[in-house]
Amino acid sequence: MAIRYYNLKNITPLSKPRGQLGKFGNMTHSSGNYRKFQQEVYERLTELTFAIPGDFFALAYIFYMGRKKGRANDVGNMVGAIEDVLVKYKYLKDDSWLHLPRAWQEAVASDVFGITLLVLESASDIVYFMSARDRLLSQFREPSLISPR
C-alpha cells in the first residue's frame, strides 16, 4: 500500500475554459494560456517521473492558491484542466468514469501556489489519506511515496 505524491510547485492552478466552436465546427478548449499551462504541467510531471499504475484506485487533487475576490474558485474545472493534461499526454486513456472511477479534490488557501496530485492505489490508501489529511496538507514538499506506518 502506497500513495504516490507529486507536487507541482509554483504552477498557478487554472480552470478548464468553456468550450467554443472552432472554425471547422469542432469544440475547442484551447487558448494560448491554456496550452502553455498544459505544457508546463506536462514538463513538471515528466521531471517528477510521474506514473499511474494500470490498476490504481483513485486520484486526489489538492490546489494551493490565493482566494479570488468576489467569487469562489471553480475546483471542478481545475480538476478538468489537470485531467486534460493526463489524457493528452497518455497518462490516462480517458477521463470518463470508466477509466477514472474515483477522484477527490480540495482547494487550500495558501500564499504558495501549486498543485499536489496523489495516486491512490487501494481503498485503504483513501482511509489513510483522509485520517492523515491535515498533516499531509501541511506538507508542500518534493514528490515521494507516502507509506502508512
Side-chain angles (χ1 to χ4, degrees), residues 78-149:
M78 287 185 252
V79 168
I82 298 298
E83 289 176 355
D84 282 353
V85 172
L86 297 179
V87 171
K88 179 177 181 176
Y89 293 102
K90 312 282 190 243
Y91 292 109
L92 285 176
K93 182 176 181 179
D94 189 10
D95 59 356
S96 72
W97 66 272
L98 294 171
H99 299 281
L100 182 57
R102 292 167 219 77
W104 179 84
Q105 64 205 24
E106 181 163 351
V108 177
S110 173
D111 293 333
V112 177
F113 285 78
I115 303 162
T116 298
L117 180 59
L118 297 101
V119 180
L120 307 166
E121 295 183 17
S122 68
S124 56
D125 288 342
I126 289 183
V127 173
Y128 170 72
F129 175 70
M130 294 309 286
S131 67
R133 183 182 154 280
D134 290 337
R135 180 179 57 81
L136 295 174
L137 289 179
S138 69
Q139 301 171 10
F140 201 65
R141 57 190 171 106
E142 295 303 313
S144 63
L145 286 174
I146 300 172
S147 298
R149 303 212 189 287

